[in-house]
Coordinates of all heavy atoms in Angstrom, one line a residue:
M1 N -33.4 36.4 19.7 CA -32.2 36.6 18.8 C -31.0 35.8 19.5 O -30.2 35.3 18.6 CB -32.0 38.0 18.8 CG -30.7 38.5 18.2 SD -31.2 39.5 16.7 CE -29.7 40.0 16.1
T2 N -30.9 35.8 20.7 CA -29.7 35.2 21.3 C -29.8 33.7 21.0 O -28.8 33.1 20.8 CB -29.8 35.5 22.9 OG1 -29.9 36.8 23.2 CG2 -28.6 34.9 23.5
E3 N -31.0 33.2 21.1 CA -31.2 31.7 20.8 C -30.7 31.5 19.3 O -30.0 30.4 19.1 CB -32.6 31.4 21.0 CG -32.8 30.0 21.7 CD -34.2 29.7 22.0 OE1 -34.7 30.3 22.9 OE2 -34.7 28.9 21.3
I4 N -31.0 32.3 18.4 CA -30.6 32.1 17.1 C -29.0 32.1 16.9 O -28.4 31.3 16.3 CB -31.3 33.0 16.1 CG1 -32.8 32.9 16.0 CG2 -30.6 33.1 14.7 CD1 -33.5 34.0 15.3
L5 N -28.5 33.1 17.6 CA -27.0 33.2 17.7 C -26.4 32.0 18.3 O -25.3 31.5 17.7 CB -26.6 34.5 18.3 CG -26.9 35.8 17.7 CD1 -26.5 37.0 18.6 CD2 -26.1 35.9 16.4
L6 N -27.0 31.5 19.3 CA -26.4 30.3 20.0 C -26.5 29.1 19.0 O -25.6 28.3 19.0 CB -27.1 30.1 21.3 CG -26.7 30.9 22.5 CD1 -27.6 30.7 23.7 CD2 -25.3 30.7 22.8
Q7 N -27.6 29.0 18.4 CA -27.8 27.9 17.4 C -26.8 28.0 16.3 O -26.2 27.0 15.9 CB -29.2 27.9 16.9 CG -29.5 26.7 16.0 CD -30.9 26.8 15.5 OE1 -31.7 27.6 15.8 NE2 -31.3 25.7 14.7
Q8 N -26.6 29.2 15.8 CA -25.7 29.3 14.7 C -24.2 29.0 15.2 O -23.3 28.4 14.5 CB -25.6 30.7 14.1 CG -26.9 31.1 13.3 CD -26.9 32.5 13.0 OE1 -26.1 33.4 13.4 NE2 -27.9 32.9 12.0
L9 N -23.9 29.4 16.4 CA -22.6 29.1 17.0 C -22.4 27.7 17.2 O -21.4 27.1 16.9 CB -22.5 29.9 18.3 CG -21.1 29.6 19.1 CD1 -20.0 30.1 18.3 CD2 -21.2 30.3 20.5
E10 N -23.4 27.0 17.6 CA -23.4 25.6 17.8 C -23.2 24.9 16.5 O -22.4 23.9 16.4 CB -24.7 25.1 18.5 CG -24.7 23.5 18.7 CD -26.0 23.0 19.4 OE1 -26.9 23.8 19.6 OE2 -26.1 21.9 19.6
E11 N -23.8 25.3 15.4 CA -23.7 24.7 14.1 C -22.3 24.9 13.6 O -21.6 24.0 13.1 CB -24.7 25.3 13.1 CG -26.1 24.8 13.4 CD -27.1 25.6 12.5 OE1 -26.7 26.5 11.7 OE2 -28.4 25.5 12.6
K12 N -21.8 26.1 13.8 CA -20.3 26.4 13.3 C -19.3 25.5 14.1 O -18.4 25.0 13.6 CB -20.0 27.8 13.5 CG -20.7 28.7 12.4 CD -20.3 30.2 12.6 CE -21.0 31.0 11.5 NZ -20.6 32.5 11.6
M13 N -19.6 25.4 15.4 CA -18.7 24.5 16.2 C -18.7 23.1 15.7 O -17.7 22.4 15.7 CB -19.0 24.7 17.8 CG -18.7 26.0 18.3 SD -19.0 26.2 20.1 CE -17.9 24.9 20.7
M14 N -20.0 22.6 15.4 CA -20.1 21.2 14.9 C -19.4 21.0 13.7 O -18.7 20.1 13.5 CB -21.6 20.9 14.8 CG -22.3 20.8 16.1 SD -21.7 19.6 17.3 CE -22.1 18.1 16.6
V15 N -19.4 22.0 12.7 CA -18.8 21.9 11.4 C -17.2 21.9 11.8 O -16.5 21.2 11.2 CB -19.0 23.1 10.6 CG1 -18.1 23.2 9.4 CG2 -20.5 23.0 10.1
R16 N -16.7 22.8 12.6 CA -15.3 22.8 13.0 C -14.8 21.6 13.7 O -13.8 21.1 13.4 CB -15.0 24.0 13.9 CG -15.2 25.4 13.3 CD -14.3 25.7 12.1 NE -14.5 27.0 11.6 CZ -14.9 27.2 10.4 NH1 -15.1 26.2 9.5 NH2 -15.0 28.5 10.0
L17 N -15.7 21.0 14.6 CA -15.3 19.7 15.2 C -15.2 18.6 14.1 O -14.4 17.7 14.2 CB -16.3 19.4 16.3 CG -16.2 20.2 17.6 CD1 -17.4 19.8 18.6 CD2 -14.9 19.9 18.2
S18 N -16.2 18.6 13.2 CA -16.1 17.6 12.1 C -14.8 17.7 11.3 O -14.3 16.7 11.0 CB -17.4 17.8 11.2 OG -17.3 16.8 10.2
E19 N -14.5 19.0 10.9 CA -13.3 19.2 10.2 C -12.1 18.7 11.0 O -11.1 18.1 10.4 CB -13.2 20.7 9.8 CG -14.2 21.2 8.8 CD -14.2 22.7 8.6 OE1 -13.5 23.4 9.4 OE2 -14.8 23.1 7.7
L20 N -12.1 19.1 12.3 CA -10.9 18.7 13.1 C -10.8 17.2 13.2 O -9.7 16.6 13.1 CB -11.2 19.3 14.5 CG -10.0 19.0 15.5 CD1 -8.7 19.6 15.1 CD2 -10.4 19.6 16.9
E21 N -11.9 16.5 13.4 CA -11.9 15.0 13.4 C -11.4 14.5 12.0 O -10.6 13.5 12.1 CB -13.4 14.5 13.7 CG -13.4 13.0 13.7 CD -12.7 12.3 14.9 OE1 -12.4 13.1 15.8 OE2 -12.4 11.2 14.7
G22 N -11.8 15.0 11.0 CA -11.3 14.6 9.7 C -9.7 14.8 9.5 O -9.1 13.9 9.1
S23 N -9.3 15.9 10.0 CA -7.8 16.2 10.1 C -7.2 15.2 11.0 O -6.0 14.8 10.6 CB -7.6 17.6 10.5 OG -8.1 18.5 9.6
R24 N -7.7 14.9 12.1 CA -7.1 14.0 13.0 C -7.0 12.6 12.4 O -6.0 12.0 12.5 CB -7.9 13.8 14.3 CG -7.2 13.0 15.4 CD -8.1 12.6 16.6 NE -9.3 11.9 16.1 CZ -9.3 10.6 15.8 NH1 -8.2 9.8 15.9 NH2 -10.4 9.9 15.6
R25 N -8.0 12.1 11.7 CA -8.0 10.8 10.9 C -6.9 10.8 9.9 O -6.2 9.9 9.8 CB -9.4 10.5 10.4 CG -10.3 9.8 11.4 CD -11.6 9.3 10.6 NE -12.6 10.1 11.3 CZ -13.4 11.0 10.6 NH1 -13.3 11.0 9.4 NH2 -14.4 11.5 11.2
E26 N -6.9 11.9 9.2 CA -5.9 12.1 8.1 C -4.4 11.9 8.7 O -3.5 11.3 8.2 CB -6.1 13.3 7.3 CG -5.2 13.4 6.2 CD -5.4 14.7 5.4 OE1 -6.5 15.3 5.5 OE2 -4.5 15.1 4.6
S27 N -4.2 12.7 9.8 CA -2.9 12.6 10.5 C -2.6 11.2 11.0 O -1.5 10.8 10.9 CB -3.0 13.7 11.7 OG -1.8 13.6 12.4
D28 N -3.6 10.5 11.5 CA -3.4 9.2 12.0 C -2.9 8.2 10.8 O -2.0 7.4 11.0 CB -4.6 8.6 12.7 CG -4.8 9.2 14.0 OD1 -3.9 9.9 14.6 OD2 -6.0 9.1 14.6
N29 N -3.6 8.4 9.7 CA -3.3 7.6 8.5 C -1.9 8.0 8.0 O -1.1 6.9 7.7 CB -4.3 7.9 7.4 CG -5.7 7.3 7.6 OD1 -5.8 6.5 8.5 ND2 -6.7 7.9 6.9
I30 N -1.5 9.2 8.1 CA -0.1 9.6 7.6 C 0.9 9.0 8.6 O 1.8 8.5 8.2 CB 0.0 11.1 7.6 CG1 -0.8 11.6 6.3 CG2 1.4 11.6 7.4 CD1 -1.0 13.1 6.3
K31 N 0.6 9.0 9.8 CA 1.5 8.4 10.9 C 1.7 6.9 10.6 O 2.8 6.4 10.7 CB 1.0 8.6 12.3 CG 1.2 10.1 12.8 CD 0.7 10.3 14.2 CE 0.8 11.8 14.6 NZ 0.2 11.9 15.9
R32 N 0.6 6.2 10.3 CA 0.6 4.8 10.1 C 1.4 4.5 8.8 O 2.2 3.5 8.8 CB -0.8 4.2 9.9 CG -1.5 3.8 11.2 CD -2.6 3.0 11.0 NE -3.8 3.7 10.4 CZ -4.6 4.5 11.0 NH1 -4.5 4.7 12.4 NH2 -5.5 5.1 10.4
E33 N 1.2 5.3 7.8 CA 2.0 5.2 6.6 C 3.5 5.3 6.8 O 4.3 4.7 6.3 CB 1.5 6.2 5.4 CG 0.1 5.8 4.9 CD -0.3 6.9 4.0 OE1 0.5 7.7 3.5 OE2 -1.5 6.6 3.5
L34 N 3.8 6.4 7.6 CA 5.2 6.6 7.9 C 5.8 5.4 8.7 O 6.9 5.1 8.5 CB 5.3 7.9 8.8 CG 6.7 8.4 9.2 CD1 7.6 8.6 8.0 CD2 6.5 9.6 10.1
D35 N 5.1 4.9 9.7 CA 5.5 3.8 10.5 C 5.8 2.6 9.5 O 6.8 1.8 9.7 CB 4.6 3.5 11.6 CG 4.5 4.5 12.7 OD1 5.5 5.3 12.8 OD2 3.6 4.4 13.4
N36 N 4.9 2.4 8.6 CA 5.0 1.3 7.7 C 6.2 1.5 6.7 O 7.0 0.5 6.5 CB 3.8 1.1 6.8 CG 2.6 0.5 7.5 OD1 2.7 0.0 8.6 ND2 1.4 0.8 7.1
A37 N 6.4 2.7 6.3 CA 7.5 3.0 5.5 C 9.0 2.8 6.2 O 9.9 2.3 5.8 CB 7.5 4.4 5.0
K38 N 8.9 3.2 7.6 CA 10.1 3.0 8.4 C 10.4 1.5 8.6 O 11.6 1.1 8.5 CB 9.9 3.7 9.7 CG 10.0 5.2 9.7 CD 9.8 5.8 11.1 CE 9.9 7.3 11.1 NZ 9.8 7.9 12.5
R39 N 9.4 0.7 8.8 CA 9.6 -0.7 8.9 C 10.1 -1.3 7.6 O 11.1 -2.2 7.6 CB 8.3 -1.4 9.4 CG 8.0 -1.3 10.9 CD 6.9 -2.3 11.3 NE 5.5 -1.9 10.8 CZ 4.8 -1.0 11.3 NH1 5.0 -0.4 12.4 NH2 3.6 -0.7 10.8
E40 N 9.5 -1.0 6.6 CA 10.0 -1.4 5.2 C 11.4 -1.0 5.0 O 12.2 -1.8 4.5 CB 9.0 -1.0 4.1 CG 9.3 -1.4 2.8 CD 8.4 -0.9 1.7 OE1 7.4 -0.3 2.0 OE2 8.7 -1.3 0.5
N41 N 11.7 0.2 5.3 CA 13.1 0.7 5.2 C 14.0 -0.1 6.0 O 15.2 -0.4 5.4 CB 13.2 2.2 5.5 CG 14.5 2.9 5.1 OD1 15.1 2.4 4.1 ND2 14.8 3.8 5.9
A42 N 13.7 -0.3 7.3 CA 14.6 -1.2 8.0 C 14.8 -2.6 7.5 O 15.9 -3.1 7.5 CB 14.0 -1.2 9.4
A43 N 13.6 -3.2 7.0 CA 13.8 -4.5 6.4 C 14.6 -4.5 5.1 O 15.5 -5.4 5.0 CB 12.4 -5.1 6.0
L44 N 14.5 -3.5 4.3 CA 15.3 -3.4 3.1 C 16.8 -3.2 3.5 O 17.7 -3.6 2.8 CB 14.8 -2.3 2.2 CG 13.5 -2.6 1.5 CD1 12.9 -1.3 0.8 CD2 13.6 -3.7 0.6
K45 N 17.1 -2.4 4.5 CA 18.5 -2.1 4.9 C 19.1 -3.4 5.4 O 20.2 -3.7 5.0 CB 18.4 -1.1 6.1 CG 19.8 -0.8 6.5 CD 19.7 0.4 7.5 CE 21.2 0.6 8.1 NZ 21.2 1.6 9.1
M46 N 18.3 -4.3 6.2 CA 18.8 -5.5 6.6 C 19.1 -6.5 5.4 O 20.2 -7.0 5.5 CB 17.9 -6.2 7.7 CG 17.8 -5.5 9.1 SD 16.6 -6.2 10.1 CE 17.0 -7.9 10.1
E47 N 18.2 -6.4 4.6 CA 18.4 -7.3 3.4 C 19.6 -6.9 2.6 O 20.4 -7.8 2.1 CB 17.1 -7.3 2.5 CG 17.2 -8.2 1.3 CD 15.9 -8.1 0.4 OE1 14.9 -7.5 0.9 OE2 15.9 -8.7 -0.6
R48 N 19.8 -5.6 2.4 CA 20.9 -5.1 1.7 C 22.2 -5.5 2.4 O 23.2 -5.9 1.8 CB 20.9 -3.6 1.6 CG 22.0 -3.0 0.7 CD 22.1 -1.5 0.9 NE 22.9 -1.3 2.1 CZ 22.6 -0.2 2.9 NH1 21.7 0.7 2.5 NH2 23.3 0.0 4.0
E49 N 22.3 -5.3 3.7 CA 23.5 -5.8 4.5 C 23.8 -7.2 4.4 O 24.9 -7.6 4.2 CB 23.3 -5.3 6.0 CG 23.3 -3.9 6.1 CD 22.8 -3.5 7.6 OE1 22.6 -4.4 8.4 OE2 22.9 -2.3 7.9
K50 N 22.8 -8.0 4.3 CA 23.0 -9.5 4.2 C 23.6 -9.8 2.7 O 24.4 -10.6 2.6 CB 21.7 -10.3 4.4 CG 21.2 -10.3 5.8 CD 20.0 -11.1 5.9 CE 19.3 -11.2 7.2 NZ 18.0 -11.8 7.4
L51 N 23.0 -9.1 1.7 CA 23.4 -9.3 0.3 C 24.9 -8.9 0.2 O 25.7 -9.4 -0.5 CB 22.5 -8.7 -0.6 CG 21.1 -9.2 -0.7 CD1 20.2 -8.4 -1.6 CD2 21.2 -10.6 -1.4
E52 N 25.2 -7.7 0.9 CA 26.6 -7.2 0.8 C 27.6 -8.2 1.4 O 28.6 -8.5 0.9 CB 26.7 -5.9 1.5 CG 26.1 -4.7 0.9 CD 26.1 -3.4 1.7 OE1 26.5 -3.4 2.9 OE2 25.8 -2.4 1.2
E53 N 27.1 -8.9 2.5 CA 28.0 -9.8 3.1 C 28.2 -11.1 2.3 O 29.3 -11.5 2.1 CB 27.4 -10.3 4.5 CG 27.6 -9.3 5.6 CD 29.0 -8.9 5.8 OE1 29.8 -9.8 5.9 OE2 29.3 -7.7 5.9
R54 N 27.1 -11.5 1.6 CA 27.3 -12.6 0.7 C 28.2 -12.2 -0.5 O 28.9 -13.1 -1.0 CB 25.8 -13.0 0.1 CG 24.9 -13.7 1.1 CD 23.6 -14.1 0.6 NE 23.8 -15.1 -0.6 CZ 22.8 -15.4 -1.4 NH1 21.6 -14.9 -1.2 NH2 23.0 -16.2 -2.3
I55 N 28.0 -11.0 -1.0 CA 28.8 -10.6 -2.1 C 30.3 -10.6 -1.7 O 31.2 -11.1 -2.4 CB 28.4 -9.3 -2.7 CG1 27.1 -9.4 -3.4 CG2 29.4 -8.6 -3.6 CD1 26.4 -8.1 -3.9
K56 N 30.6 -10.1 -0.6 CA 31.9 -10.0 0.0 C 32.5 -11.5 0.1 O 33.6 -11.7 -0.1 CB 32.0 -9.4 1.3 CG 31.8 -7.8 1.2 CD 31.8 -7.1 2.6 CE 31.5 -5.7 2.5 NZ 31.4 -5.0 3.9
S57 N 31.6 -12.4 0.6 CA 32.1 -13.7 0.7 C 32.4 -14.4 -0.6 O 33.5 -15.1 -0.8 CB 31.0 -14.6 1.5 OG 30.8 -14.1 2.7
I58 N 31.6 -14.1 -1.6 CA 31.8 -14.6 -2.9 C 33.1 -14.0 -3.5 O 33.9 -14.7 -4.1 CB 30.5 -14.3 -3.8 CG1 29.4 -15.2 -3.3 CG2 31.0 -14.7 -5.3 CD1 28.1 -14.8 -4.1
I59 N 33.4 -12.7 -3.3 CA 34.6 -12.1 -3.9 C 35.7 -12.7 -3.2 O 36.7 -13.0 -3.9 CB 34.4 -10.6 -3.7 CG1 33.4 -10.0 -4.6 CG2 35.8 -9.9 -3.8 CD1 33.1 -8.5 -4.4
A60 N 35.7 -12.9 -1.8 CA 36.8 -13.5 -1.1 C 37.1 -14.9 -1.6 O 38.2 -15.2 -1.9 CB 36.5 -13.5 0.4
L61 N 36.1 -15.6 -1.9 CA 36.2 -16.9 -2.5 C 36.7 -17.0 -3.9 O 37.8 -17.8 -4.2 CB 34.9 -17.8 -2.5 CG 34.9 -19.1 -3.0 CD1 35.7 -20.1 -2.2 CD2 33.5 -19.6 -3.1
L62 N 36.3 -16.1 -4.6 CA 37.0 -16.0 -6.0 C 38.4 -15.4 -5.9 O 39.2 -16.0 -6.8 CB 36.1 -14.9 -6.8 CG 34.8 -15.3 -7.3 CD1 34.0 -14.2 -7.9 CD2 34.9 -16.5 -8.2
E63 N 38.7 -14.6 -5.0 CA 40.2 -14.2 -4.9 C 41.0 -15.3 -4.5 O 42.2 -15.5 -4.9 CB 40.3 -13.0 -3.9 CG 39.7 -11.7 -4.4 CD 39.7 -10.6 -3.4 OE1 39.9 -10.9 -2.2 OE2 39.5 -9.4 -3.8
T64 N 40.5 -16.2 -3.6 CA 41.4 -17.4 -3.2 C 41.4 -18.3 -4.4 O 42.6 -18.9 -4.6 CB 40.8 -18.2 -2.1 OG1 39.4 -18.7 -2.3 CG2 40.7 -17.3 -0.9
V65 N 40.5 -18.5 -5.2 CA 40.6 -19.3 -6.5 C 41.5 -18.7 -7.4 O 42.4 -19.4 -8.0 CB 39.2 -19.5 -7.1 CG1 39.3 -20.2 -8.4 CG2 38.3 -20.3 -6.2
N66 N 41.5 -17.4 -7.7 CA 42.4 -16.8 -8.6 C 43.9 -16.8 -8.0 O 44.8 -17.0 -8.9 CB 42.0 -15.3 -8.7 CG 40.7 -15.2 -9.5 OD1 40.4 -16.0 -10.3 ND2 40.1 -14.0 -9.4
V67 N 44.1 -16.8 -6.8 CA 45.4 -16.9 -6.3 C 46.0 -18.3 -6.5 O 47.1 -18.6 -6.7 CB 45.5 -16.5 -4.8 CG1 46.8 -16.8 -4.1 CG2 45.3 -15.0 -4.7
A68 N 45.1 -19.3 -6.3 CA 45.5 -20.7 -6.3 C 45.8 -21.1 -7.7 O 46.6 -22.0 -7.9 CB 44.3 -21.6 -5.7
E69 N 45.1 -20.5 -8.7 CA 45.3 -21.0 -10.2 C 46.8 -20.7 -10.6 O 47.3 -21.7 -11.1 CB 44.4 -20.2 -11.1 CG 43.0 -20.8 -11.1 CD 42.1 -20.1 -12.2 OE1 42.6 -19.3 -12.9 OE2 40.9 -20.4 -12.1
P70 N 47.4 -19.7 -10.4 CA 48.8 -19.5 -10.9 C 49.7 -20.4 -10.2 O 50.7 -21.0 -10.7 CB 49.1 -18.0 -10.5 CG 47.8 -17.4 -10.5 CD 46.9 -18.3 -10.1
A71 N 49.5 -20.7 -8.9 CA 50.3 -21.7 -8.2 C 50.1 -23.0 -8.7 O 51.1 -23.8 -8.8 CB 49.9 -21.6 -6.7
M72 N 48.9 -23.5 -9.1 CA 48.7 -24.7 -9.7 C 49.3 -24.9 -11.1 O 49.9 -25.9 -11.4 CB 47.2 -25.0 -9.9 CG 46.4 -25.1 -8.6 SD 47.1 -26.5 -7.6 CE 45.6 -27.5 -7.8
Q73 N 49.3 -23.8 -11.8 CA 49.9 -23.8 -13.1 C 51.5 -23.9 -13.0 O 52.1 -24.5 -13.8 CB 49.6 -22.5 -13.9 CG 48.1 -22.5 -14.4 CD 47.7 -21.2 -15.1 OE1 48.5 -20.2 -15.1 NE2 46.5 -21.1 -15.4
A74 N 52.0 -23.2 -12.0 CA 53.4 -23.4 -11.8 C 53.9 -24.8 -11.4 O 54.9 -25.3 -11.8 CB 53.9 -22.4 -10.7
V75 N 53.0 -25.4 -10.6 CA 53.4 -26.8 -10.2 C 53.2 -27.7 -11.4 O 53.9 -28.7 -11.7 CB 52.4 -27.3 -9.1 CG1 52.5 -28.7 -8.8 CG2 52.7 -26.5 -7.8
G76 N 52.1 -27.4 -12.2 CA 51.8 -28.3 -13.4 C 52.8 -28.1 -14.5 O 53.4 -28.9 -15.1

């Protein structure tokens, strides 16, 4: 009887270990996905900042052109 109980306990432990291993793998996958999302987020943030700087430069250039036009018309 004790041997049967030990065998059943061993089977249950193997099932639990298998479940635990599956959970660990799932957790590792989620961590990898999170890391990838963080890297992608950082890359997108950098790209956004670069585009913002380009837009600011274009706006500044347009403002200088707009300021220069009335002065040219006054001279002309």
Side-chain angles (χ1 to χ4, degrees):
M1 177 118 175
T2 305
E3 220 172 286
I4 294 171
L5 290 175
L6 285 174
Q7 184 179 358
Q8 289 175 347
L9 179 62
E10 183 180 1
E11 289 172 2
K12 287 182 181 183
M13 287 182 67
M14 293 302 289
V15 168
R16 296 294 183 242
L17 286 173
S18 178
E19 291 171 353
L20 183 61
E21 180 64 20
S23 295
R24 187 193 61 78
R25 271 190 247 115
E26 185 178 343
S27 176
D28 288 346
N29 288 339
I30 290 171
K31 286 179 186 177
R32 273 192 295 278
E33 288 177 12
L34 180 60
D35 289 342
N36 289 339
K38 285 180 180 180
R39 279 193 293 276
E40 184 179 353
N41 189 31
L44 289 171
K45 183 178 178 181
M46 287 176 54
E47 184 178 351
R48 186 194 77 216
E49 290 171 356
K50 288 178 185 178
L51 290 172
E52 284 176 354
E53 288 302 314
R54 284 182 64 191
I55 289 172
K56 287 177 184 177
S57 296
I58 291 170
I59 289 172
L61 180 62
L62 288 172
E63 286 175 349
T64 60
V65 169
N66 288 337
V67 169
E69 276 185 12
M72 293 296 253
Q73 289 174 355
V75 172

